Amino acid sequence: MKKLAVILCMVAIICSVGFAESKDETDFTKFNYRTVTGGYLSCGRDFSAGGGEFGINLLPQEKLFVLRNSIFVQGGGGNLKSTEQLNYGALEIGDKLIIGGRINGSGFIVRSYGFTGCSFGLFACEGHGFFSSPFMIKLSFGGGFEFQFAENTAYSIEFRGMSRYLTEKNTSNFGDFSKSTPVLTIGYRIFI
C-alpha cells in the first residue's frame, strides 16, 4: 500500500509541474507522429518490473481518436508463493493494442485509452532454469491516461488487471502461482 501511495504522489507532482510549465501556447492540433517510445515502472501485488516500449500509430493522423500498437520488453521480479517465499526473476516480450480518445487543450493534450495485451516470458527461480519449461504467459487489460505538455513528451499512468499462466499444467513446484493481480504503471512516452 505504501508503494501505491508514493507512486500516486509522484504522478500528482509530475502532472502539476507539467501544467505549471505549459506557459507557451503550442498548437498541438497540428502535431502528428508515427512512432512512440517510452519507459515505465509497474508494481502489482507480488511483483515489480520496469521496461521499455516501441509503438506505431495505426492511424494516418491522430485527431480525436487514438489507435496504437506497442511492442514492449519488461524485466522484473517477485515471488511465486504466498506462504513460503519463492523469489523469481523474469524477462518478457509482448504486444499491446491501445484504443482511446484525445482532448486538445490550450498548450496540452490529454489522452484516455483502454488497452489489451499479451506477453511471453522466461523466468528463473530456485530449482528452475531461465531457459527451461514451463514458461510464463501474461494477459492484461486496463486503461490509462497520457498527459502531454511538450511537443514530443507525455507522462502516462495505467491501471490494469493481469492474469499470469504457466505453459505446463503441472505447476505444483511453484505453489499457489498467482493467477491474477491488479497492476499500477507509471512512465513516459516520447513521440517521433
Side-chain angles (χ1 to χ4, degrees):
M1 191 64 174
K2 287 182 183 179
K3 280 184 189 179
L4 179 62
V6 169
I7 289 173
L8 289 176
C9 288
M10 287 174 43
V11 169
I13 290 169
I14 289 169
C15 292
S16 299
V17 168
F19 279 115
E21 293 295 322
S22 64
K23 292 178 182 173
D24 63 334
E25 298 297 323
T26 305
D27 186 9
F28 285 103
T29 58
K30 297 178 182 175
F31 175 68
N32 194 25
Y33 67 94
R34 294 304 304 155
T35 60
V36 59
T37 61
Y40 58 87
L41 173 67
S42 297
C43 64
R45 181 179 64 206
D46 57 0
F47 82 99
S48 59
E53 67 180 15
F54 174 79
I56 298 172
N57 188 0
L58 299 177
L59 299 173
Q61 185 174 4
E62 179 187 284
K63 292 186 179 180
L64 299 176
F65 187 68
V66 177
L67 183 60
R68 188 185 310 152
N69 188 38
S70 295
I71 297 170
F72 62 89
V73 176
Q74 174 176 295
N79 59 54
L80 296 174
K81 292 184 178 181
S82 62
T83 56
E84 150 188 356
Q85 295 296 321
L86 180 59
N87 296 325
Y88 75 95
L91 178 66
E92 301 171 46
I93 185 166
D95 190 58
K96 179 166 69 172
L97 181 65
I98 294 173
I99 302 170
R102 168 177 156 166
I103 298 171
N104 298 320
S106 178
F108 68 93
I109 294 175
V110 175
R111 294 176 184 88
S112 62
Y113 57 88
F115 64 88
T116 183
C118 180
S119 66
F120 173 81
L122 304 171
F123 72 100
C125 61
E126 185 179 331
H128 181 266
F130 191 69
F131 293 103
S132 60
S133 178
F135 303 108
M136 194 181 306
I137 305 260
K138 286 187 183 176
L139 303 174
S140 62
F141 60 92
F145 296 94
E146 285 179 356
F147 304 98
Q148 184 175 351
F149 306 108
E151 189 171 323
N152 60 354
T153 306
Y155 302 105
S156 64
I157 182 168
E158 294 179 350
F159 302 96
R160 64 182 158 129
M162 177 192 73
S163 293
R164 187 167 49 192
Y165 303 97
L166 295 178
T167 57
E168 291 182 3
K169 291 185 178 182
N170 183 11
T171 60
S172 59
N173 296 341
F174 304 107
D176 55 346
F177 186 75
S178 175
K179 297 291 185 205
S180 60
T181 182
V183 180
L184 173 68
T185 301
I186 61 169
Y188 69 92
R189 291 191 172 111
I190 297 173
F191 302 99
I192 302 169

